[in-house]
Amino acid sequence: TLVVKGVRKSRHLRAIAGFLRNEVRGVKEVRQRSYRRKVAELEVELKGTAQSLAEELEEKKFKGFEIEIDEITANTVTAVVAK
């Protein structure tokens, strides 16, 4: 599960999901579970670790924003959208 806080625009969420689907090795499926009060929860089916997913997200430079990792557990990455 990927929890992203501070998602002010739906295009940011689309950019994150598209990056996961198309550019991160080992990602089989990305499903949006919820998006409310600027917090998005995505279910990511992944061959790999939460740590590797977090590293890929943190290294990616999205158009107009970046991702900072807040917390990593065995099955969950919590991230924040930063400018």
Side-chain angles (χ1 to χ4, degrees):
T1 302
L2 172 63
V3 178
V4 186
K5 300 175 182 177
V7 182
R8 291 187 188 98
K9 299 179 180 177
S10 62
R11 70 179 171 88
H12 292 169
L13 183 54
R14 287 192 306 274
I16 294 166
F19 167 71
L20 293 171
R21 282 188 190 101
N22 302 318
E23 296 182 46
V24 178
R25 285 193 337 231
V27 171
K28 294 180 183 179
E29 178 95 33
V30 178
R31 287 183 292 279
Q32 183 176 321
R33 292 173 75 184
S34 66
Y35 175 44
R36 63 174 200 230
R37 295 190 182 118
K38 299 179 186 171
V39 178
E41 188 175 331
L42 301 174
E43 188 176 324
V44 182
E45 216 174 293
L46 172 72
K47 269 192 177 177
T49 64
Q51 178 69 42
S52 64
L53 177 64
E55 289 170 5
E56 295 245 21
L57 282 166
E58 210 164 36
E59 290 171 7
K60 171 71 174 167
K61 303 292 183 218
F62 293 93
K63 187 176 180 178
F65 70 101
E66 293 180 8
I67 297 289
E68 294 177 356
I69 302 303
D70 201 28
E71 180 182 10
I72 303 169
T73 64
N75 297 319
T76 304
V77 174
T78 304
V80 179
V81 172
K83 289 186 179 182

